[in-house]
Amino acid sequence: MFPTAIGRWLACAIGAGLLASPAALAAAPHRVLAGETLWSISTANNLTTRTVAIYNGLPENAQLPVGTTIHVPTVEEGAAALASGAPAVAPPATNGAAVGTAPAGTLEAQTATTTAVSAPGMGRVPSPYGELSLIPAAADAWNAMRAEAKSVYGIDIYPGGPLSAYRSYAQQSELYAAFLAGHGAPANPPGTSSHEYGTAIDVPTPQMRSVIDQIGSKYGWAKVHAPGEWWHVDYLAG
Protein backbone atom coordinates (compact mmCIF):
# COMPACT_ATOMS: atom_id res chain seq x y z
CA MET A 1 0.00 0.00 0.00
CA PHE A 2 2.77 2.45 0.98
CA PRO A 3 4.90 1.85 -2.16
CA THR A 4 1.77 2.24 -4.25
CA ALA A 5 0.97 5.58 -2.63
CA ILE A 6 4.54 6.76 -3.21
CA GLY A 7 4.31 5.68 -6.81
CA ARG A 8 1.06 7.58 -7.29
CA TRP A 9 2.56 10.71 -5.70
CA LEU A 10 5.62 10.55 -7.96
CA ALA A 11 3.45 10.12 -11.03
CA CYS A 12 1.36 13.12 -10.06
CA ALA A 13 4.43 15.22 -9.23
CA ILE A 14 6.09 14.44 -12.54
CA GLY A 15 2.89 15.10 -14.41
CA ALA A 16 2.49 18.43 -12.66
CA GLY A 17 6.10 19.42 -13.33
CA LEU A 18 6.97 19.52 -9.61
CA LEU A 19 10.17 17.53 -10.06
CA ALA A 20 12.85 19.26 -12.09
CA SER A 21 14.03 17.42 -15.16
CA PRO A 22 17.78 17.04 -15.86
CA ALA A 23 17.47 19.57 -18.69
CA ALA A 24 16.03 22.18 -16.31
CA LEU A 25 19.17 21.92 -14.16
CA ALA A 26 21.68 21.91 -17.01
CA ALA A 27 22.63 25.60 -16.82
CA ALA A 28 25.82 26.01 -14.81
CA PRO A 29 26.04 28.73 -12.14
CA HIS A 30 29.11 30.93 -12.53
CA ARG A 31 30.48 33.32 -9.91
CA VAL A 32 32.03 36.36 -11.59
CA LEU A 33 35.75 36.79 -10.95
CA ALA A 34 37.87 39.93 -11.14
CA GLY A 35 38.28 41.08 -14.72
CA GLU A 36 35.44 38.99 -16.11
CA THR A 37 32.63 40.53 -18.10
CA LEU A 38 29.40 39.24 -19.57
CA TRP A 39 31.15 39.16 -22.95
CA SER A 40 34.24 37.27 -21.75
CA ILE A 41 32.15 34.69 -19.88
CA SER A 42 29.93 34.18 -22.91
CA THR A 43 32.89 33.89 -25.28
CA ALA A 44 34.65 31.39 -23.02
CA ASN A 45 31.58 29.17 -23.23
CA ASN A 46 31.12 29.55 -27.00
CA LEU A 47 27.93 31.55 -26.56
CA THR A 48 26.96 35.03 -27.69
CA THR A 49 26.63 37.83 -25.16
CA ARG A 50 22.99 38.24 -26.18
CA THR A 51 22.28 34.58 -25.41
CA VAL A 52 23.67 34.70 -21.87
CA ALA A 53 22.16 38.13 -21.24
CA ILE A 54 18.63 37.10 -22.22
CA TYR A 55 18.89 33.81 -20.35
CA ASN A 56 19.76 35.72 -17.15
CA GLY A 57 17.38 38.64 -17.73
CA LEU A 58 20.22 41.14 -18.20
CA PRO A 59 20.95 43.88 -20.75
CA GLU A 60 23.81 43.03 -23.10
CA ASN A 61 25.92 45.86 -21.68
CA ALA A 62 25.40 44.82 -18.07
CA GLN A 63 28.38 45.42 -15.78
CA LEU A 64 28.75 42.44 -13.40
CA PRO A 65 30.30 43.16 -10.00
CA VAL A 66 32.77 40.58 -8.70
CA GLY A 67 30.79 37.92 -6.83
CA THR A 68 27.72 38.13 -9.05
CA THR A 69 26.28 34.70 -9.81
CA ILE A 70 24.94 34.19 -13.30
CA HIS A 71 23.91 31.01 -15.11
CA VAL A 72 25.63 29.77 -18.26
CA PRO A 73 23.06 27.90 -20.35
CA THR A 74 23.61 24.97 -22.65
CA VAL A 75 23.37 25.69 -26.37
CA GLU A 76 19.84 24.32 -26.37
CA GLU A 77 18.76 26.38 -23.36
CA GLY A 78 20.32 29.50 -24.84
CA ALA A 79 18.55 28.96 -28.13
CA ALA A 80 15.24 28.55 -26.32
CA ALA A 81 15.79 31.80 -24.41
CA LEU A 82 16.62 33.64 -27.63
CA ALA A 83 13.51 32.27 -29.28
CA SER A 84 11.22 33.26 -26.42
CA GLY A 85 12.99 36.50 -25.54
CA ALA A 86 12.32 35.77 -21.85
CA PRO A 87 14.78 34.99 -19.02
CA ALA A 88 14.93 31.39 -17.87
CA VAL A 89 16.33 32.01 -14.37
CA ALA A 90 15.84 34.48 -11.54
CA PRO A 91 17.80 37.77 -11.66
CA PRO A 92 21.48 37.38 -10.66
CA ALA A 93 22.40 37.23 -6.99
CA THR A 94 25.35 39.47 -6.09
CA ASN A 95 27.67 40.06 -3.16
CA GLY A 96 25.81 43.26 -2.37
CA ALA A 97 26.81 45.43 -5.33
CA ALA A 98 24.20 46.27 -7.91
CA VAL A 99 24.32 44.93 -11.45
CA GLY A 100 24.44 47.96 -13.71
CA THR A 101 25.11 48.96 -17.28
CA ALA A 102 28.21 50.34 -18.89
CA PRO A 103 28.76 54.05 -18.18
CA ALA A 104 27.89 56.49 -20.96
CA GLY A 105 31.56 57.38 -21.34
CA THR A 106 32.27 54.08 -23.08
CA LEU A 107 30.07 55.25 -25.97
CA GLU A 108 28.26 51.91 -25.97
CA ALA A 109 24.79 53.29 -25.41
CA GLN A 110 24.99 56.09 -27.95
CA THR A 111 26.59 53.99 -30.69
CA ALA A 112 24.43 50.91 -30.47
CA THR A 113 23.10 51.49 -33.99
CA THR A 114 26.34 52.80 -35.42
CA THR A 115 28.62 50.57 -37.48
CA ALA A 116 32.33 50.70 -36.81
CA VAL A 117 34.48 51.53 -39.82
CA SER A 118 38.03 50.74 -40.78
CA ALA A 119 40.51 52.25 -43.20
CA PRO A 120 42.95 50.54 -45.58
CA GLY A 121 46.23 49.62 -43.95
CA MET A 122 44.85 49.73 -40.40
CA GLY A 123 45.71 47.23 -37.69
CA ARG A 124 43.02 45.31 -35.80
CA VAL A 125 42.12 44.83 -32.14
CA PRO A 126 39.45 42.41 -30.85
CA SER A 127 36.30 43.63 -29.13
CA PRO A 128 32.78 42.41 -28.30
CA TYR A 129 31.74 44.24 -31.49
CA GLY A 130 34.16 42.51 -33.83
CA GLU A 131 37.65 43.64 -34.79
CA LEU A 132 38.13 47.41 -34.52
CA SER A 133 40.84 49.51 -36.12
CA LEU A 134 43.96 51.39 -35.00
CA ILE A 135 47.12 52.38 -36.82
CA PRO A 136 49.27 49.23 -37.15
CA ALA A 137 51.83 50.15 -34.48
CA ALA A 138 49.10 51.05 -31.98
CA ALA A 139 47.20 47.84 -32.70
CA ASP A 140 50.31 45.69 -32.29
CA ALA A 141 51.18 47.40 -29.02
CA TRP A 142 47.62 47.10 -27.73
CA ASN A 143 47.42 43.39 -28.55
CA ALA A 144 50.75 42.75 -26.80
CA MET A 145 49.57 44.72 -23.77
CA ARG A 146 46.29 42.78 -23.79
CA ALA A 147 48.20 39.48 -23.70
CA GLU A 148 50.15 40.61 -20.62
CA ALA A 149 47.01 41.91 -18.93
CA LYS A 150 45.36 38.51 -19.35
CA SER A 151 48.36 36.40 -18.34
CA VAL A 152 49.60 38.49 -15.40
CA TYR A 153 46.44 40.13 -14.05
CA GLY A 154 43.76 37.79 -15.37
CA ILE A 155 41.98 40.82 -16.87
CA ASP A 156 41.09 41.22 -20.52
CA ILE A 157 41.26 44.73 -21.97
CA TYR A 158 39.27 45.78 -25.03
CA PRO A 159 37.38 48.75 -26.52
CA GLY A 160 34.10 49.59 -24.81
CA GLY A 161 31.98 50.26 -27.89
CA PRO A 162 31.96 49.96 -31.70
CA LEU A 163 33.44 53.47 -32.03
CA SER A 164 35.83 53.19 -29.10
CA ALA A 165 38.92 52.78 -31.28
CA TYR A 166 39.25 54.41 -34.72
CA ARG A 167 36.32 56.51 -35.89
CA SER A 168 35.77 58.58 -39.01
CA TYR A 169 35.30 62.34 -39.19
CA ALA A 170 31.60 61.78 -39.84
CA GLN A 171 31.24 59.54 -36.81
CA GLN A 172 33.11 62.04 -34.64
CA SER A 173 30.70 64.70 -35.89
CA GLU A 174 27.77 62.52 -34.88
CA LEU A 175 29.14 61.99 -31.37
CA TYR A 176 29.97 65.67 -30.96
CA ALA A 177 26.45 66.66 -32.02
CA ALA A 178 24.98 64.24 -29.49
CA PHE A 179 27.21 65.72 -26.79
CA LEU A 180 26.14 69.28 -27.62
CA ALA A 181 22.50 68.18 -27.61
CA GLY A 182 22.90 66.89 -24.06
CA HIS A 183 22.37 63.19 -24.66
CA GLY A 184 25.88 62.00 -25.45
CA ALA A 185 29.18 61.41 -23.65
CA PRO A 186 31.90 64.10 -23.82
CA ALA A 187 33.30 64.28 -27.35
CA ASN A 188 35.78 66.57 -29.09
CA PRO A 189 34.82 68.56 -32.20
CA PRO A 190 35.41 66.61 -35.42
CA GLY A 191 38.97 66.89 -36.64
CA THR A 192 40.42 67.19 -33.12
CA SER A 193 39.98 63.70 -31.62
CA SER A 194 42.84 61.21 -31.39
CA HIS A 195 40.28 58.53 -32.24
CA GLU A 196 40.19 59.93 -35.78
CA TYR A 197 43.93 59.21 -36.07
CA GLY A 198 43.53 55.63 -34.87
CA THR A 199 45.65 56.23 -31.76
CA ALA A 200 43.11 56.08 -28.92
CA ILE A 201 40.82 53.58 -27.22
CA ASP A 202 37.98 54.01 -24.73
CA VAL A 203 37.76 51.12 -22.25
CA PRO A 204 34.52 50.07 -20.52
CA THR A 205 35.69 49.65 -16.91
CA PRO A 206 38.00 51.44 -14.44
CA GLN A 207 39.56 48.05 -13.74
CA MET A 208 40.88 47.85 -17.29
CA ARG A 209 42.17 51.41 -17.04
CA SER A 210 43.97 50.49 -13.81
CA VAL A 211 45.86 47.70 -15.55
CA ILE A 212 46.83 50.01 -18.41
CA ASP A 213 48.12 52.54 -15.88
CA GLN A 214 50.42 49.83 -14.50
CA ILE A 215 51.82 48.29 -17.69
CA GLY A 216 50.84 50.63 -20.53
CA SER A 217 53.95 52.83 -20.57
CA LYS A 218 56.21 50.08 -21.89
CA TYR A 219 53.78 49.55 -24.77
CA GLY A 220 53.34 53.24 -25.52
CA TRP A 221 49.80 53.44 -24.08
CA ALA A 222 49.00 56.03 -21.41
CA LYS A 223 46.45 58.54 -20.15
CA VAL A 224 47.26 61.89 -21.77
CA HIS A 225 44.36 63.54 -23.57
CA ALA A 226 40.88 64.15 -22.15
CA PRO A 227 41.97 64.29 -18.49
CA GLY A 228 38.38 64.21 -17.24
CA GLU A 229 37.61 60.96 -19.10
CA TRP A 230 38.97 57.98 -17.15
CA TRP A 231 37.98 55.64 -19.99
CA HIS A 232 40.20 57.29 -22.65
CA VAL A 233 43.80 56.16 -23.24
CA ASP A 234 46.23 57.16 -26.01
CA TYR A 235 49.03 55.53 -27.99
CA LEU A 236 52.06 57.81 -27.88
CA ALA A 237 54.93 55.85 -29.40
CA GLY A 238 53.97 56.19 -33.04
Side-chain angles (χ1 to χ4, degrees):
M1 178 69 178
F2 183 73
T4 302
I6 293 294
R8 289 174 179 169
W9 180 86
L10 286 173
C12 292
I14 293 172
L18 298 179
L19 297 182
S21 67
L25 300 176
H30 177 86
R31 186 178 175 86
V32 177
L33 304 176
E36 288 187 317
T37 65
L38 189 59
W39 173 67
S40 68
I41 294 168
S42 302
T43 301
N45 288 278
N46 296 315
L47 297 167
T48 65
T49 305
R50 180 172 176 78
T51 298
V52 178
I54 290 179
Y55 190 86
N56 286 273
L58 294 169
E60 289 183 61
N61 64 341
Q63 296 289 294
L64 303 177
V66 172
T68 301
T69 298
I70 66 170
H71 287 80
V72 178
T74 63
V75 172
E76 293 77 12
E77 290 172 328
L82 284 173
S84 67
V89 295
T94 72
N95 62 351
V99 176
T101 56
T106 66
L107 305 180
E108 186 164 4
Q110 68 189 64
T111 61
T113 60
T114 306
T115 303
V117 298
S118 61
M122 284 288 211
R124 300 289 186 269
V125 295
S127 83
Y129 316 92
E131 290 192 332
L132 305 185
S133 298
L134 293 171
I135 63 171
D140 290 344
W142 179 273
N143 291 332
M145 180 172 64
R146 178 186 182 225
E148 180 176 346
K150 292 173 69 175
S151 65
V152 176
Y153 295 88
I155 295 176
D156 197 3
I157 57 174
Y158 48 82
L163 298 185
S164 289
Y166 168 75
R167 64 181 72 129
S168 68
Y169 182 95
Q171 288 171 327
Q172 186 66 32
S173 298
E174 177 186 339
L175 297 182
Y176 185 61
F179 168 58
L180 293 180
H183 54 78
N188 286 349
T192 67
S193 171
S194 52
H195 286 285
E196 297 171 80
Y197 301 104
T199 59
I201 279 183
D202 294 331
V203 294
T205 70
Q207 194 170 40
M208 293 185 196
R209 163 69 194 285
S210 177
V211 172
I212 295 169
D213 285 345
Q214 296 178 67
I215 66 174
S217 60
K218 63 182 175 182
Y219 296 101
W221 282 92
K223 176 66 175 174
V224 176
H225 303 120
E229 301 176 8
W230 62 260
W231 52 86
H232 182 101
V233 291
D234 294 285
Y235 179 69
L236 308 174

CSV table of all heavy atoms in Angstrom, one decimal, residues 85 95 107 135 147 178 212 220:
chain,number,residue,atom,x,y,z
A,85,GLY,N,12.7,35.1,-26.0
A,85,GLY,CA,13.0,36.5,-25.5
A,85,GLY,C,12.8,36.7,-24.1
A,85,GLY,O,12.8,37.9,-23.6
A,95,ASN,N,27.1,40.0,-4.5
A,95,ASN,CA,27.7,40.1,-3.2
A,95,ASN,C,27.3,41.4,-2.5
A,95,ASN,O,27.9,41.8,-1.5
A,95,ASN,CB,29.2,40.0,-3.3
A,95,ASN,CG,29.8,41.1,-4.1
A,95,ASN,OD1,29.1,41.9,-4.7
A,95,ASN,ND2,31.1,41.2,-4.1
A,107,LEU,N,30.7,55.0,-24.7
A,107,LEU,CA,30.1,55.2,-26.0
A,107,LEU,C,29.2,54.1,-26.4
A,107,LEU,O,28.6,54.1,-27.5
A,107,LEU,CB,31.1,55.5,-27.1
A,107,LEU,CG,32.1,56.6,-26.8
A,107,LEU,CD1,33.1,56.7,-28.0
A,107,LEU,CD2,31.4,57.9,-26.6
A,135,ILE,N,46.0,52.4,-36.0
A,135,ILE,CA,47.1,52.4,-36.8
A,135,ILE,C,47.9,51.1,-36.5
A,135,ILE,O,47.8,50.6,-35.3
A,135,ILE,CB,48.0,53.6,-36.7
A,135,ILE,CG1,48.5,53.8,-35.3
A,135,ILE,CG2,47.2,54.9,-37.1
A,135,ILE,CD1,49.6,54.9,-35.1
A,147,ALA,N,47.7,40.8,-24.1
A,147,ALA,CA,48.2,39.5,-23.7
A,147,ALA,C,48.8,39.5,-22.3
A,147,ALA,O,48.6,38.6,-21.5
A,147,ALA,CB,49.2,39.0,-24.7
A,178,ALA,N,25.7,64.8,-30.6
A,178,ALA,CA,25.0,64.2,-29.5
A,178,ALA,C,25.4,64.9,-28.2
A,178,ALA,O,24.6,65.1,-27.3
A,178,ALA,CB,25.2,62.7,-29.5
A,212,ILE,N,46.1,49.2,-17.4
A,212,ILE,CA,46.8,50.0,-18.4
A,212,ILE,C,47.8,51.0,-17.7
A,212,ILE,O,48.9,51.2,-18.2
A,212,ILE,CB,45.9,50.7,-19.4
A,212,ILE,CG1,45.1,49.7,-20.2
A,212,ILE,CG2,46.6,51.7,-20.3
A,212,ILE,CD1,43.9,50.2,-21.0
A,220,GLY,N,53.7,52.0,-24.9
A,220,GLY,CA,53.3,53.2,-25.5
A,220,GLY,C,51.9,53.7,-25.3
A,220,GLY,O,51.5,54.7,-25.9
